[in-house]
Amino acid sequence: MSNHFSDDPELQDIQTRLNDADSAIRRIALLDLADFAGDEHLPIIIAALKDPDAQVRVEAAKALEAFESDASIAGLIAMLDDDATQVREAAAHSLSLLKQQESALQLLPHLDHPTPYAKAALFRALRELRVAESFTPALAALSDQDAAVRREAVAVLGYLKQAQALPALTALITTDNDPEVRRAAVGAIGFAEDDAVLPALLGGLADTVWQVREEAATTIGKLKLGDALPQLITAMQDDYWQVRLRVARALGRLQQPTAVPILVETLNHTISNLRKEAALALGEIGDIEALPALELASSDPDPDVRKSVRLAIAQIHGKQGENLDA
């Protein structure tokens, strides 16, 4: 791996070690080079992607996090086919850190990659770039045979926030056989501007997998879908407290007094995080009927719960004062 460095003695030492027969020494040399690496050193790092030792290739892929050029992106894409899992993962991670929208032009032509891992990694890299050109291939990838590809395509569409994707995304919530895809689809439709997505979200709230139910409660609360109130109240009896926590949060966002009794009951739950969320939700609702239960909960053994109770009581008094002034 002979390359020209500056006259800096330390860099010259790194160059010597990059050509060492010992792979461990080459790997450490790459780590040291990361402290100096500028654009002039990019060819050296890219060359290391072809090193016979997998750990050296891993360090080279990691080092490319600091660059965003056609050459570095092309090198990382090529490494998505590497024989070593850790190299593929390092390359995928570096690609996911791309920030410039122009970089998408390097990624888009490879979305028909035959390897599911590579295809999923490319969609993951496109996600936060938010380029309109990724919409059509992401929509098509919702029917990909590989669940990881579908999941990453869902994320791309969620970031793009285009209403045309909503029918396909809502369909996945109740039809996809992979729970992580269903969960991702539930989260992705959080940009919807009407309640047309409610049936799908109610389906998610009844999913057999608790993580999907948890995500559905979160999205319902985010969209403030008041018509879901009966189902949310029922979901406060979910077997998983994590779901109940998100449901309590959603009930607070809906601000409907109908939810006060179940939230008051939850102030006695054994899980302190759930008691805290119930108190915060009661504060958001602002119903004076919750005050006696909150006053009792003000001596809760958990300091975070007590703090939430104090905030809730203050919120309710504040809202009652606003009502008197109105």
Side-chain angles (χ1 to χ4, degrees), residues 196 207 277 283 293:
D207 197 275
E277 288 297 333

Side-chain angles (χ1 to χ4, degrees), residues 50-116:
K50 297 181 180 179
D51 194 279
D53 185 82
Q55 288 302 319
V56 176
R57 300 198 299 277
V58 166
E59 295 305 333
K62 289 180 178 178
L64 289 178
E65 291 180 7
F67 300 88
E68 193 158 349
S69 68
D70 289 354
S72 62
I73 295 171
L76 289 169
I77 291 173
M79 299 314 290
L80 295 175
D81 279 329
D82 196 274
D83 292 336
T85 300
Q86 63 266 43
V87 177
R88 296 195 298 272
E89 291 175 347
H93 178 72
S94 290
L95 285 170
S96 73
L97 299 177
L98 296 175
K99 301 298 182 186
Q100 300 172 12
Q101 287 193 328
E102 308 85 69
S103 296
L105 298 176
Q106 293 291 106
L107 304 173
L108 291 166
H110 298 276
L111 289 176
D112 59 352
H113 199 287
T115 305

Side-chain angles (χ1 to χ4, degrees), residues 5-48:
F5 274 94
S6 72
D7 294 331
D8 187 308
E10 197 165 0
L11 287 173
Q12 288 179 343
D13 174 65
I14 291 174
Q15 179 180 17
T16 300
R17 288 185 284 133
L18 284 171
N19 291 291
D20 198 278
D22 188 330
S23 63
I25 292 176
R26 299 197 303 275
R27 184 176 67 83
I28 298 300
L30 272 174
L31 289 170
D32 292 341
L33 181 60
D35 293 332
F36 296 93
D39 291 342
E40 68 274 20
H41 303 133
L42 179 58
I44 300 165
I45 299 173
I46 291 176

Side-chain angles (χ1 to χ4, degrees), residues 38-288:
D39 291 342
E40 68 274 20
H41 303 133
L42 179 58
I44 300 165
I45 299 173
I46 291 176
L49 291 173
K50 297 181 180 179
D51 194 279
D53 185 82
Q55 288 302 319
V56 176
R57 300 198 299 277
V58 166
E59 295 305 333
K62 289 180 178 178
L64 289 178
E65 291 180 7
F67 300 88
E68 193 158 349
S69 68
D70 289 354
S72 62
I73 295 171
L76 289 169
I77 291 173
M79 299 314 290
L80 295 175
D81 279 329
D82 196 274
D83 292 336
T85 300
Q86 63 266 43
V87 177
R88 296 195 298 272
E89 291 175 347
H93 178 72
S94 290
L95 285 170
S96 73
L97 299 177
L98 296 175
K99 301 298 182 186
Q100 300 172 12
Q101 287 193 328
E102 308 85 69
S103 296
L105 298 176
Q106 293 291 106
L107 304 173
L108 291 166
H110 298 276
L111 289 176
D112 59 352
H113 199 287
T115 305
Y117 182 87
K119 192 184 295 185
L122 291 165
F123 275 118
R124 192 180 317 126
L126 282 166
R127 181 176 60 194
E128 294 191 33
L129 298 181
R130 292 182 172 92
V131 293
E133 292 84 354
S134 62
F135 178 83
T136 298
L139 194 64
L142 295 184
S143 59
D144 195 278
Q145 292 185 350
D146 189 86
V149 174
R150 298 197 303 277
R151 186 168 62 248
E152 296 298 342
V154 164
V156 169
L157 295 171
Y159 270 71
L160 289 175
K161 299 182 179 181
Q162 294 191 22
Q164 304 95 300
L166 287 173
L169 289 172
T170 53
L172 287 179
I173 295 172
T174 53
T175 63
D176 200 277
N177 60 12
D178 185 89
E180 284 302 312
V181 174
R182 299 198 299 274
R183 182 183 185 182
V186 167
I189 64 174
F191 67 89
E193 296 182 353
D194 56 48
D195 58 1
V197 298
L198 179 59
L201 287 173
L202 293 180
L205 197 59
D207 197 275
T208 56
V209 176
W210 71 264
Q211 291 92 338
V212 180
R213 301 196 299 273
E214 177 187 46
E215 195 70 37
T218 299
T219 302
I220 288 171
K222 180 179 180 180
L223 297 176
K224 297 183 179 180
L225 298 175
D227 288 344
L229 183 61
Q231 289 86 350
L232 286 173
I233 291 175
T234 299
M236 281 299 292
Q237 303 298 332
D238 195 279
D239 292 338
Y240 287 80
W241 69 265
Q242 295 92 333
V243 177
R244 293 183 178 185
L245 187 150
R246 300 292 185 92
V247 171
R249 195 172 295 171
L251 289 172
R253 291 178 65 87
L254 294 184
Q255 298 184 354
Q256 295 296 320
T258 308
V260 168
I262 190 65
L263 291 169
V264 163
E265 180 182 329
T266 306
L267 289 175
N268 296 313
H269 197 276
T270 56
I271 302 293
S272 61
N273 280 343
L274 191 49
R275 299 198 302 274
K276 180 177 74 173
E277 288 297 333
L280 292 173
L282 288 168
E284 287 189 81
I285 293 170
D287 193 318
I288 197 171

